Amino acid sequence: MPQTVDFDTVSTAGLESSPVAGALAGLRANEARYFKNKYDHVFTVEPAAEAQATVGWVHRILDEERGIVIASRPLEATEFQVENIRWAYVFYENGLSINVLYTLDDGGKRAVGFKLSDGMDVPEELSSFKFARQKSKLAGTIRGSYFVIKKEYRAFTRPVPR
């Protein structure tokens, strides 16, 4: 069952096994605040075991685009559509957050973003990326990077709620 992410009262629920659970919870809350402020969208997550289609779609893109296989265990995931953009997020036990922005219109923006929770090391599989820093009241220092998606990934295994 999906859990609404509260950005007023940050909770580590669902992320307790992470060594940086507090920072990862702040990162998750930071994303929830962004979507509420920009799109008036309520950000929800569910356990990764219940969101295998989402996790699989993200992992397929990482593998086919860059040959990246994430070593850490996925804890939570979400997928949704706002305006004409398909979003997917996966939050990992090591403190990593991966998002996919996939505009459904031909020629639109499509990218994979990586965010590292405060206090975590750069995972070996992402060592070739350069990470920019940003400050967040909810998440401390966030390090982020991204790459542009080149191929088509429209085949979804379940309908996306609007």
Side-chain angles (χ1 to χ4, degrees):
M1 179 169 181
Q3 164 195 329
T4 299
V5 177
D6 184 352
F7 54 86
D8 291 319
T9 305
V10 179
S11 168
T12 59
L15 308 174
E16 298 90 350
S17 66
S18 173
V20 292
L24 183 56
L27 180 57
R28 181 179 64 181
N30 188 66
E31 300 301 323
R33 181 178 59 195
Y34 170 80
F35 282 99
K36 183 65 177 166
N37 290 341
K38 181 156 177 95
Y39 299 107
D40 197 30
H41 172 79
V42 175
F43 196 86
T44 62
V45 292
E46 59 187 329
E50 297 172 21
Q52 286 301 310
T54 302
V55 173
W57 187 65
V58 171
H59 286 180
R60 176 178 160 226
I61 293 170
L62 292 171
D63 184 40
E64 291 182 15
E65 292 285 326
R66 297 290 181 102
I68 297 171
V69 176
I70 302 300
S72 187
R73 181 170 68 101
L75 297 178
E76 292 184 331
T78 187
E79 63 177 276
F80 53 92
Q81 183 175 325
V82 289
E83 297 176 355
N84 208 28
I85 303 170
R86 166 75 181 241
W87 292 90
Y89 275 81
V90 181
F91 297 93
Y92 295 86
E93 191 168 41
N94 65 353
L96 174 66
S97 169
I98 297 179
N99 71 73
V100 173
L101 172 158
Y102 196 92
T103 303
L104 298 175
D105 296 329
D106 290 335
K109 292 181 183 181
R110 296 176 180 162
V112 173
F114 305 106
K115 291 187 180 174
L116 308 177
S117 293
D118 205 3
M120 75 170 285
D121 293 328
V122 176
E124 178 62 32
E125 58 271 29
L126 302 179
S127 63
S128 66
F129 289 89
K130 293 188 183 214
F131 288 85
R133 294 179 185 271
Q134 73 178 56
K135 291 281 189 180
S136 163
K137 288 182 182 178
L138 293 171
T141 300
I142 300 170
R143 291 165 291 156
S145 192
Y146 75 98
F147 69 83
V148 174
I149 296 172
K150 303 288 186 193
K151 298 178 187 174
E152 294 282 324
Y153 296 94
R154 291 186 184 247
F156 305 120
T157 53
R158 67 179 181 178
V160 179
R162 291 185 171 247

PDB file of all heavy atoms in Angstrom, residues 20-58:
ATOM      1  N   VAL A  20      22.316   5.418   6.416  1.00  0.00           N
ATOM      2  CA  VAL A  20      22.095   6.874   6.375  1.00  0.00           C
ATOM      3  C   VAL A  20      20.596   7.165   6.298  1.00  0.00           C
ATOM      4  O   VAL A  20      20.144   8.036   5.563  1.00  0.00           O
ATOM      5  CB  VAL A  20      22.863   7.529   5.192  1.00  0.00           C
ATOM      6  CG1 VAL A  20      24.362   7.474   5.409  1.00  0.00           C
ATOM      7  CG2 VAL A  20      22.477   6.888   3.862  1.00  0.00           C
ATOM      8  N   ALA A  21      19.818   6.422   7.085  1.00  0.00           N
ATOM      9  CA  ALA A  21      18.349   6.492   7.021  1.00  0.00           C
ATOM     10  C   ALA A  21      17.818   7.913   7.195  1.00  0.00           C
ATOM     11  O   ALA A  21      16.912   8.327   6.467  1.00  0.00           O
ATOM     12  CB  ALA A  21      17.725   5.566   8.058  1.00  0.00           C
ATOM     13  N   GLY A  22      18.360   8.664   8.129  1.00  0.00           N
ATOM     14  CA  GLY A  22      17.887  10.023   8.353  1.00  0.00           C
ATOM     15  C   GLY A  22      18.113  10.923   7.153  1.00  0.00           C
ATOM     16  O   GLY A  22      17.225  11.673   6.745  1.00  0.00           O
ATOM     17  N   ALA A  23      19.302  10.837   6.557  1.00  0.00           N
ATOM     18  CA  ALA A  23      19.611  11.648   5.377  1.00  0.00           C
ATOM     19  C   ALA A  23      18.783  11.195   4.171  1.00  0.00           C
ATOM     20  O   ALA A  23      18.303  12.021   3.391  1.00  0.00           O
ATOM     21  CB  ALA A  23      21.097  11.575   5.061  1.00  0.00           C
ATOM     22  N   LEU A  24      18.597   9.886   4.014  1.00  0.00           N
ATOM     23  CA  LEU A  24      17.790   9.364   2.909  1.00  0.00           C
ATOM     24  C   LEU A  24      16.331   9.785   3.066  1.00  0.00           C
ATOM     25  O   LEU A  24      15.672  10.157   2.089  1.00  0.00           O
ATOM     26  CB  LEU A  24      17.919   7.842   2.824  1.00  0.00           C
ATOM     27  CG  LEU A  24      17.201   7.147   1.673  1.00  0.00           C
ATOM     28  CD1 LEU A  24      17.635   7.705   0.312  1.00  0.00           C
ATOM     29  CD2 LEU A  24      17.450   5.637   1.731  1.00  0.00           C
ATOM     30  N   ALA A  25      15.836   9.778   4.292  1.00  0.00           N
ATOM     31  CA  ALA A  25      14.470  10.241   4.554  1.00  0.00           C
ATOM     32  C   ALA A  25      14.343  11.730   4.213  1.00  0.00           C
ATOM     33  O   ALA A  25      13.332  12.164   3.662  1.00  0.00           O
ATOM     34  CB  ALA A  25      14.092   9.989   6.007  1.00  0.00           C
ATOM     35  N   GLY A  26      15.370  12.507   4.528  1.00  0.00           N
ATOM     36  CA  GLY A  26      15.376  13.918   4.169  1.00  0.00           C
ATOM     37  C   GLY A  26      15.392  14.119   2.669  1.00  0.00           C
ATOM     38  O   GLY A  26      14.703  15.000   2.134  1.00  0.00           O
ATOM     39  N   LEU A  27      16.152  13.295   1.967  1.00  0.00           N
ATOM     40  CA  LEU A  27      16.197  13.360   0.504  1.00  0.00           C
ATOM     41  C   LEU A  27      14.831  13.022  -0.089  1.00  0.00           C
ATOM     42  O   LEU A  27      14.344  13.715  -0.991  1.00  0.00           O
ATOM     43  CB  LEU A  27      17.266  12.392  -0.008  1.00  0.00           C
ATOM     44  CG  LEU A  27      17.492  12.299  -1.502  1.00  0.00           C
ATOM     45  CD1 LEU A  27      17.849  13.644  -2.103  1.00  0.00           C
ATOM     46  CD2 LEU A  27      18.595  11.291  -1.793  1.00  0.00           C
ATOM     47  N   ARG A  28      14.206  11.983   0.434  1.00  0.00           N
ATOM     48  CA  ARG A  28      12.864  11.587  -0.020  1.00  0.00           C
ATOM     49  C   ARG A  28      11.858  12.708   0.249  1.00  0.00           C
ATOM     50  O   ARG A  28      11.039  13.046  -0.616  1.00  0.00           O
ATOM     51  CB  ARG A  28      12.461  10.298   0.691  1.00  0.00           C
ATOM     52  CG  ARG A  28      11.123   9.731   0.318  1.00  0.00           C
ATOM     53  CD  ARG A  28      10.837   8.455   1.058  1.00  0.00           C
ATOM     54  NE  ARG A  28      10.734   8.699   2.505  1.00  0.00           N
ATOM     55  CZ  ARG A  28      10.513   7.768   3.406  1.00  0.00           C
ATOM     56  NH1 ARG A  28      10.383   6.502   3.040  1.00  0.00           N
ATOM     57  NH2 ARG A  28      10.415   8.066   4.684  1.00  0.00           N
ATOM     58  N   ALA A  29      11.934  13.328   1.424  1.00  0.00           N
ATOM     59  CA  ALA A  29      11.038  14.441   1.767  1.00  0.00           C
ATOM     60  C   ALA A  29      11.299  15.655   0.875  1.00  0.00           C
ATOM     61  O   ALA A  29      10.362  16.371   0.492  1.00  0.00           O
ATOM     62  CB  ALA A  29      11.217  14.813   3.234  1.00  0.00           C
ATOM     63  N   ASN A  30      12.557  15.883   0.518  1.00  0.00           N
ATOM     64  CA  ASN A  30      12.913  16.978  -0.385  1.00  0.00           C
ATOM     65  C   ASN A  30      12.221  16.794  -1.745  1.00  0.00           C
ATOM     66  O   ASN A  30      11.707  17.760  -2.325  1.00  0.00           O
ATOM     67  CB  ASN A  30      14.431  17.023  -0.551  1.00  0.00           C
ATOM     68  CG  ASN A  30      14.910  18.236  -1.302  1.00  0.00           C
ATOM     69  OD1 ASN A  30      14.777  19.359  -0.821  1.00  0.00           O
ATOM     70  ND2 ASN A  30      15.463  18.005  -2.472  1.00  0.00           N
ATOM     71  N   GLU A  31      12.198  15.561  -2.243  1.00  0.00           N
ATOM     72  CA  GLU A  31      11.515  15.266  -3.509  1.00  0.00           C
ATOM     73  C   GLU A  31      10.009  15.490  -3.362  1.00  0.00           C
ATOM     74  O   GLU A  31       9.365  16.053  -4.247  1.00  0.00           O
ATOM     75  CB  GLU A  31      11.803  13.831  -3.961  1.00  0.00           C
ATOM     76  CG  GLU A  31      13.266  13.530  -4.199  1.00  0.00           C
ATOM     77  CD  GLU A  31      13.907  14.406  -5.255  1.00  0.00           C
ATOM     78  OE1 GLU A  31      13.266  14.738  -6.266  1.00  0.00           O
ATOM     79  OE2 GLU A  31      15.079  14.783  -5.072  1.00  0.00           O
ATOM     80  N   ALA A  32       9.444  15.063  -2.239  1.00  0.00           N
ATOM     81  CA  ALA A  32       8.002  15.246  -1.999  1.00  0.00           C
ATOM     82  C   ALA A  32       7.638  16.726  -1.994  1.00  0.00           C
ATOM     83  O   ALA A  32       6.627  17.124  -2.577  1.00  0.00           O
ATOM     84  CB  ALA A  32       7.603  14.594  -0.676  1.00  0.00           C
ATOM     85  N   ARG A  33       8.464  17.529  -1.356  1.00  0.00           N
ATOM     86  CA  ARG A  33       8.204  18.974  -1.312  1.00  0.00           C
ATOM     87  C   ARG A  33       8.276  19.583  -2.708  1.00  0.00           C
ATOM     88  O   ARG A  33       7.439  20.395  -3.090  1.00  0.00           O
ATOM     89  CB  ARG A  33       9.197  19.662  -0.375  1.00  0.00           C
ATOM     90  CG  ARG A  33       8.956  21.174  -0.278  1.00  0.00           C
ATOM     91  CD  ARG A  33       9.887  21.846   0.682  1.00  0.00           C
ATOM     92  NE  ARG A  33      11.264  21.619   0.270  1.00  0.00           N
ATOM     93  CZ  ARG A  33      12.316  21.831   1.046  1.00  0.00           C
ATOM     94  NH1 ARG A  33      12.155  22.266   2.280  1.00  0.00           N
ATOM     95  NH2 ARG A  33      13.530  21.612   0.605  1.00  0.00           N
ATOM     96  N   TYR A  34       9.264  19.177  -3.497  1.00  0.00           N
ATOM     97  CA  TYR A  34       9.402  19.674  -4.867  1.00  0.00           C
ATOM     98  C   TYR A  34       8.142  19.398  -5.685  1.00  0.00           C
ATOM     99  O   TYR A  34       7.611  20.304  -6.340  1.00  0.00           O
ATOM    100  CB  TYR A  34      10.621  19.024  -5.541  1.00  0.00           C
ATOM    101  CG  TYR A  34      10.696  19.295  -7.020  1.00  0.00           C
ATOM    102  CD1 TYR A  34      11.197  20.497  -7.493  1.00  0.00           C
ATOM    103  CD2 TYR A  34      10.249  18.349  -7.944  1.00  0.00           C
ATOM    104  CE1 TYR A  34      11.253  20.757  -8.857  1.00  0.00           C
ATOM    105  CE2 TYR A  34      10.305  18.600  -9.301  1.00  0.00           C
ATOM    106  CZ  TYR A  34      10.807  19.802  -9.762  1.00  0.00           C
ATOM    107  OH  TYR A  34      10.849  20.053 -11.105  1.00  0.00           O
ATOM    108  N   PHE A  35       7.654  18.172  -5.657  1.00  0.00           N
ATOM    109  CA  PHE A  35       6.484  17.820  -6.467  1.00  0.00           C
ATOM    110  C   PHE A  35       5.211  18.484  -5.963  1.00  0.00           C
ATOM    111  O   PHE A  35       4.338  18.829  -6.757  1.00  0.00           O
ATOM    112  CB  PHE A  35       6.327  16.297  -6.574  1.00  0.00           C
ATOM    113  CG  PHE A  35       7.279  15.718  -7.571  1.00  0.00           C
ATOM    114  CD1 PHE A  35       8.455  15.126  -7.162  1.00  0.00           C
ATOM    115  CD2 PHE A  35       7.032  15.814  -8.930  1.00  0.00           C
ATOM    116  CE1 PHE A  35       9.362  14.629  -8.079  1.00  0.00           C
ATOM    117  CE2 PHE A  35       7.930  15.317  -9.861  1.00  0.00           C
ATOM    118  CZ  PHE A  35       9.103  14.726  -9.435  1.00  0.00           C
ATOM    119  N   LYS A  36       5.107  18.677  -4.671  1.00  0.00           N
ATOM    120  CA  LYS A  36       3.933  19.377  -4.136  1.00  0.00           C
ATOM    121  C   LYS A  36       3.957  20.846  -4.565  1.00  0.00           C
ATOM    122  O   LYS A  36       2.945  21.390  -5.027  1.00  0.00           O
ATOM    123  CB  LYS A  36       3.896  19.262  -2.602  1.00  0.00           C
ATOM    124  CG  LYS A  36       2.671  19.894  -1.991  1.00  0.00           C
ATOM    125  CD  LYS A  36       1.410  19.168  -2.416  1.00  0.00           C
ATOM    126  CE  LYS A  36       0.190  19.755  -1.749  1.00  0.00           C
ATOM    127  NZ  LYS A  36      -1.042  19.303  -2.371  1.00  0.00           N
ATOM    128  N   ASN A  37       5.111  21.488  -4.443  1.00  0.00           N
ATOM    129  CA  ASN A  37       5.218  22.905  -4.790  1.00  0.00           C
ATOM    130  C   ASN A  37       5.128  23.157  -6.298  1.00  0.00           C
ATOM    131  O   ASN A  37       4.498  24.112  -6.727  1.00  0.00           O
ATOM    132  CB  ASN A  37       6.521  23.496  -4.251  1.00  0.00           C
ATOM    133  CG  ASN A  37       6.525  23.606  -2.747  1.00  0.00           C
ATOM    134  OD1 ASN A  37       5.479  23.576  -2.097  1.00  0.00           O
ATOM    135  ND2 ASN A  37       7.700  23.708  -2.162  1.00  0.00           N
ATOM    136  N   LYS A  38       5.763  22.326  -7.099  1.00  0.00           N
ATOM    137  CA  LYS A  38       5.803  22.559  -8.549  1.00  0.00           C
ATOM    138  C   LYS A  38       4.546  22.072  -9.269  1.00  0.00           C
ATOM    139  O   LYS A  38       4.048  22.729 -10.168  1.00  0.00           O
ATOM    140  CB  LYS A  38       7.036  21.911  -9.164  1.00  0.00           C
ATOM    141  CG  LYS A  38       7.140  22.156 -10.666  1.00  0.00           C
ATOM    142  CD  LYS A  38       8.529  22.056 -11.169  1.00  0.00           C
ATOM    143  CE  LYS A  38       8.585  22.240 -12.663  1.00  0.00           C
ATOM    144  NZ  LYS A  38       8.866  23.582 -13.077  1.00  0.00           N
ATOM    145  N   TYR A  39       4.034  20.894  -8.886  1.00  0.00           N
ATOM    146  CA  TYR A  39       2.938  20.268  -9.623  1.00  0.00           C
ATOM    147  C   TYR A  39       1.679  20.038  -8.787  1.00  0.00           C
ATOM    148  O   TYR A  39       0.710  19.473  -9.300  1.00  0.00           O
ATOM    149  CB  TYR A  39       3.392  18.916 -10.180  1.00  0.00           C
ATOM    150  CG  TYR A  39       4.534  18.992 -11.149  1.00  0.00           C
ATOM    151  CD1 TYR A  39       5.811  18.568 -10.778  1.00  0.00           C
ATOM    152  CD2 TYR A  39       4.360  19.468 -12.444  1.00  0.00           C
ATOM    153  CE1 TYR A  39       6.874  18.605 -11.674  1.00  0.00           C
ATOM    154  CE2 TYR A  39       5.418  19.508 -13.344  1.00  0.00           C
ATOM    155  CZ  TYR A  39       6.668  19.079 -12.952  1.00  0.00           C
ATOM    156  OH  TYR A  39       7.710  19.121 -13.841  1.00  0.00           O
ATOM    157  N   ASP A  40       1.697  20.362  -7.508  1.00  0.00           N
ATOM    158  CA  ASP A  40       0.607  20.046  -6.588  1.00  0.00           C
ATOM    159  C   ASP A  40       0.326  18.540  -6.582  1.00  0.00           C
ATOM    160  O   ASP A  40      -0.811  18.095  -6.508  1.00  0.00           O
ATOM    161  CB  ASP A  40      -0.659  20.844  -6.916  1.00  0.00           C
ATOM    162  CG  ASP A  40      -1.649  20.838  -5.755  1.00  0.00           C
ATOM    163  OD1 ASP A  40      -1.202  20.765  -4.589  1.00  0.00           O
ATOM    164  OD2 ASP A  40      -2.870  20.880  -6.015  1.00  0.00           O
ATOM    165  N   HIS A  41       1.388  17.762  -6.661  1.00  0.00           N
ATOM    166  CA  HIS A  41       1.308  16.301  -6.665  1.00  0.00           C
ATOM    167  C   HIS A  41       1.733  15.768  -5.296  1.00  0.00           C
ATOM    168  O   HIS A  41       2.760  16.175  -4.760  1.00  0.00           O
ATOM    169  CB  HIS A  41       2.232  15.728  -7.749  1.00  0.00           C
ATOM    170  CG  HIS A  41       2.355  14.234  -7.688  1.00  0.00           C
ATOM    171  ND1 HIS A  41       1.384  13.394  -8.182  1.00  0.00           N
ATOM    172  CD2 HIS A  41       3.319  13.437  -7.171  1.00  0.00           C
ATOM    173  CE1 HIS A  41       1.760  12.138  -7.980  1.00  0.00           C
ATOM    174  NE2 HIS A  41       2.929  12.141  -7.368  1.00  0.00           N
ATOM    175  N   VAL A  42       0.946  14.849  -4.744  1.00  0.00           N
ATOM    176  CA  VAL A  42       1.283  14.206  -3.477  1.00  0.00           C
ATOM    177  C   VAL A  42       2.198  13.020  -3.780  1.00  0.00           C
ATOM    178  O   VAL A  42       1.819  12.092  -4.500  1.00  0.00           O
ATOM    179  CB  VAL A  42       0.009  13.750  -2.729  1.00  0.00           C
ATOM    180  CG1 VAL A  42       0.374  12.985  -1.470  1.00  0.00           C
ATOM    181  CG2 VAL A  42      -0.864  14.949  -2.402  1.00  0.00           C
ATOM    182  N   PHE A  43       3.402  13.051  -3.243  1.00  0.00           N
ATOM    183  CA  PHE A  43       4.447  12.054  -3.482  1.00  0.00           C
ATOM    184  C   PHE A  43       4.224  10.870  -2.556  1.00  0.00           C
ATOM    185  O   PHE A  43       4.207  11.020  -1.333  1.00  0.00           O
ATOM    186  CB  PHE A  43       5.804  12.705  -3.209  1.00  0.00           C
ATOM    187  CG  PHE A  43       6.996  11.960  -3.744  1.00  0.00           C
ATOM    188  CD1 PHE A  43       7.423  12.162  -5.041  1.00  0.00           C
ATOM    189  CD2 PHE A  43       7.707  11.090  -2.930  1.00  0.00           C
ATOM    190  CE1 PHE A  43       8.550  11.509  -5.529  1.00  0.00           C
ATOM    191  CE2 PHE A  43       8.829  10.425  -3.405  1.00  0.00           C
ATOM    192  CZ  PHE A  43       9.252  10.634  -4.713  1.00  0.00           C
ATOM    193  N   THR A  44       4.025   9.697  -3.131  1.00  0.00           N
ATOM    194  CA  THR A  44       3.850   8.468  -2.352  1.00  0.00           C
ATOM    195  C   THR A  44       4.913   7.460  -2.762  1.00  0.00           C
ATOM    196  O   THR A  44       5.440   7.519  -3.886  1.00  0.00           O
ATOM    197  CB  THR A  44       2.460   7.849  -2.558  1.00  0.00           C
ATOM    198  OG1 THR A  44       2.310   7.489  -3.934  1.00  0.00           O
ATOM    199  CG2 THR A  44       1.352   8.807  -2.148  1.00  0.00           C
ATOM    200  N   VAL A  45       5.230   6.557  -1.869  1.00  0.00           N
ATOM    201  CA  VAL A  45       6.177   5.477  -2.142  1.00  0.00           C
ATOM    202  C   VAL A  45       5.572   4.172  -1.649  1.00  0.00           C
ATOM    203  O   VAL A  45       4.655   4.168  -0.828  1.00  0.00           O
ATOM    204  CB  VAL A  45       7.546   5.714  -1.469  1.00  0.00           C
ATOM    205  CG1 VAL A  45       8.270   6.902  -2.092  1.00  0.00           C
ATOM    206  CG2 VAL A  45       7.401   5.902   0.029  1.00  0.00           C
ATOM    207  N   GLU A  46       6.112   3.088  -2.159  1.00  0.00           N
ATOM    208  CA  GLU A  46       5.725   1.770  -1.662  1.00  0.00           C
ATOM    209  C   GLU A  46       6.977   0.911  -1.569  1.00  0.00           C
ATOM    210  O   GLU A  46       7.997   1.233  -2.199  1.00  0.00           O
ATOM    211  CB  GLU A  46       4.660   1.129  -2.563  1.00  0.00           C
ATOM    212  CG  GLU A  46       5.064   0.936  -3.997  1.00  0.00           C
ATOM    213  CD  GLU A  46       3.900   0.463  -4.865  1.00  0.00           C
ATOM    214  OE1 GLU A  46       3.009  -0.241  -4.370  1.00  0.00           O
ATOM    215  OE2 GLU A  46       3.899   0.795  -6.055  1.00  0.00           O
ATOM    216  N   PRO A  47       6.933  -0.153  -0.778  1.00  0.00           N
ATOM    217  CA  PRO A  47       8.106  -1.025  -0.681  1.00  0.00           C
ATOM    218  C   PRO A  47       8.513  -1.518  -2.074  1.00  0.00           C
ATOM    219  O   PRO A  47       7.665  -1.808  -2.924  1.00  0.00           O
ATOM    220  CB  PRO A  47       7.623  -2.183   0.192  1.00  0.00           C
ATOM    221  CG  PRO A  47       6.494  -1.599   0.998  1.00  0.00           C
ATOM    222  CD  PRO A  47       5.838  -0.606   0.079  1.00  0.00           C
ATOM    223  N   ALA A  48       9.809  -1.605  -2.301  1.00  0.00           N
ATOM    224  CA  ALA A  48      10.316  -2.028  -3.611  1.00  0.00           C
ATOM    225  C   ALA A  48       9.770  -3.390  -4.020  1.00  0.00           C
ATOM    226  O   ALA A  48       9.518  -3.630  -5.205  1.00  0.00           O
ATOM    227  CB  ALA A  48      11.840  -2.033  -3.597  1.00  0.00           C
ATOM    228  N   ALA A  49       9.545  -4.269  -3.055  1.00  0.00           N
ATOM    229  CA  ALA A  49       9.006  -5.605  -3.355  1.00  0.00           C
ATOM    230  C   ALA A  49       7.615  -5.524  -3.976  1.00  0.00           C
ATOM    231  O   ALA A  49       7.213  -6.413  -4.721  1.00  0.00           O
ATOM    232  CB  ALA A  49       8.964  -6.457  -2.091  1.00  0.00           C
ATOM    233  N   GLU A  50       6.886  -4.448  -3.689  1.00  0.00           N
ATOM    234  CA  GLU A  50       5.549  -4.247  -4.261  1.00  0.00           C
ATOM    235  C   GLU A  50       5.582  -3.378  -5.510  1.00  0.00           C
ATOM    236  O   GLU A  50       4.530  -3.120  -6.097  1.00  0.00           O
ATOM    237  CB  GLU A  50       4.632  -3.622  -3.208  1.00  0.00           C
ATOM    238  CG  GLU A  50       4.411  -4.509  -2.007  1.00  0.00           C
ATOM    239  CD  GLU A  50       3.664  -3.818  -0.882  1.00  0.00           C
ATOM    240  OE1 GLU A  50       2.981  -2.814  -1.138  1.00  0.00           O
ATOM    241  OE2 GLU A  50       3.779  -4.291   0.265  1.00  0.00           O
ATOM    242  N   ALA A  51       6.754  -2.912  -5.884  1.00  0.00           N
ATOM    243  CA  ALA A  51       6.897  -2.025  -7.049  1.00  0.00           C
ATOM    244  C   ALA A  51       7.935  -2.575  -8.014  1.00  0.00           C
ATOM    245  O   ALA A  51       8.728  -1.830  -8.591  1.00  0.00           O
ATOM    246  CB  ALA A  51       7.292  -0.622  -6.572  1.00  0.00           C
ATOM    247  N   GLN A  52       7.923  -3.895  -8.204  1.00  0.00           N
ATOM    248  CA  GLN A  52       8.925  -4.539  -9.049  1.00  0.00           C
ATOM    249  C   GLN A  52       8.901  -4.029 -10.498  1.00  0.00           C
ATOM    250  O   GLN A  52       9.951  -3.946 -11.133  1.00  0.00           O
ATOM    251  CB  GLN A  52       8.764  -6.052  -9.016  1.00  0.00           C
ATOM    252  CG  GLN A  52       9.253  -6.668  -7.724  1.00  0.00           C
ATOM    253  CD  GLN A  52      10.710  -6.373  -7.455  1.00  0.00           C
ATOM    254  OE1 GLN A  52      11.569  -6.558  -8.302  1.00  0.00           O
ATOM    255  NE2 GLN A  52      10.996  -5.869  -6.270  1.00  0.00           N
ATOM    256  N   ALA A  53       7.726  -3.667 -11.002  1.00  0.00           N
ATOM    257  CA  ALA A  53       7.660  -3.158 -12.380  1.00  0.00           C
ATOM    258  C   ALA A  53       8.426  -1.845 -12.498  1.00  0.00           C
ATOM    259  O   ALA A  53       9.163  -1.630 -13.463  1.00  0.00           O
ATOM    260  CB  ALA A  53       6.202  -2.969 -12.803  1.00  0.00           C
ATOM    261  N   THR A  54       8.271  -0.983 -11.513  1.00  0.00           N
ATOM    262  CA  THR A  54       8.977   0.306 -11.519  1.00  0.00           C
ATOM    263  C   THR A  54      10.473   0.101 -11.379  1.00  0.00           C
ATOM    264  O   THR A  54      11.266   0.669 -12.145  1.00  0.00           O
ATOM    265  CB  THR A  54       8.454   1.207 -10.380  1.00  0.00           C
ATOM    266  OG1 THR A  54       7.052   1.380 -10.543  1.00  0.00           O
ATOM    267  CG2 THR A  54       9.149   2.545 -10.372  1.00  0.00           C
ATOM    268  N   VAL A  55      10.876  -0.693 -10.405  1.00  0.00           N
ATOM    269  CA  VAL A  55      12.292  -0.968 -10.188  1.00  0.00           C
ATOM    270  C   VAL A  55      12.898  -1.605 -11.437  1.00  0.00           C
ATOM    271  O   VAL A  55      13.988  -1.223 -11.885  1.00  0.00           O
ATOM    272  CB  VAL A  55      12.501  -1.868  -8.947  1.00  0.00           C
ATOM    273  CG1 VAL A  55      13.959  -2.297  -8.804  1.00  0.00           C
ATOM    274  CG2 VAL A  55      12.019  -1.156  -7.686  1.00  0.00           C
ATOM    275  N   GLY A  56      12.190  -2.544 -12.028  1.00  0.00           N
ATOM    276  CA  GLY A  56      12.670  -3.210 -13.241  1.00  0.00           C
ATOM    277  C   GLY A  56      12.838  -2.256 -14.404  1.00  0.00           C
ATOM    278  O   GLY A  56      13.807  -2.353 -15.169  1.00  0.00           O
ATOM    279  N   TRP A  57      11.892  -1.310 -14.574  1.00  0.00           N
ATOM    280  CA  TRP A  57      11.980  -0.321 -15.652  1.00  0.00           C
ATOM    281  C   TRP A  57      13.212   0.569 -15.468  1.00  0.00           C
ATOM    282  O   TRP A  57      13.972   0.792 -16.406  1.00  0.00           O
ATOM    283  CB  TRP A  57      10.691   0.515 -15.691  1.00  0.00           C
ATOM    284  CG  TRP A  57      10.573   1.447 -16.841  1.00  0.00           C
ATOM    285  CD1 TRP A  57      10.479   1.123 -18.171  1.00  0.00           C
ATOM    286  CD2 TRP A  57      10.506   2.874 -16.780  1.00  0.00           C
ATOM    287  NE1 TRP A  57      10.363   2.266 -18.928  1.00  0.00           N
ATOM    288  CE2 TRP A  57      10.379   3.349 -18.101  1.00  0.00           C
ATOM    289  CE3 TRP A  57      10.539   3.790 -15.734  1.00  0.00           C
ATOM    290  CZ2 TRP A  57      10.283   4.711 -18.404  1.00  0.00           C
ATOM    291  CZ3 TRP A  57      10.439   5.143 -16.039  1.00  0.00           C
ATOM    292  CH2 TRP A  57      10.312   5.587 -17.363  1.00  0.00           C
ATOM    293  N   VAL A  58      13.430   1.043 -14.248  1.00  0.00           N
ATOM    294  CA  VAL A  58      14.601   1.882 -13.958  1.00  0.00           C
ATOM    295  C   VAL A  58      15.881   1.087 -14.193  1.00  0.00           C
ATOM    296  O   VAL A  58      16.813   1.571 -14.862  1.00  0.00           O
ATOM    297  CB  VAL A  58      14.534   2.444 -12.520  1.00  0.00           C
ATOM    298  CG1 VAL A  58      15.843   3.125 -12.133  1.00  0.00           C
ATOM    299  CG2 VAL A  58      13.360   3.406 -12.369  1.00  0.00           C
TER     300      VAL A  58
END
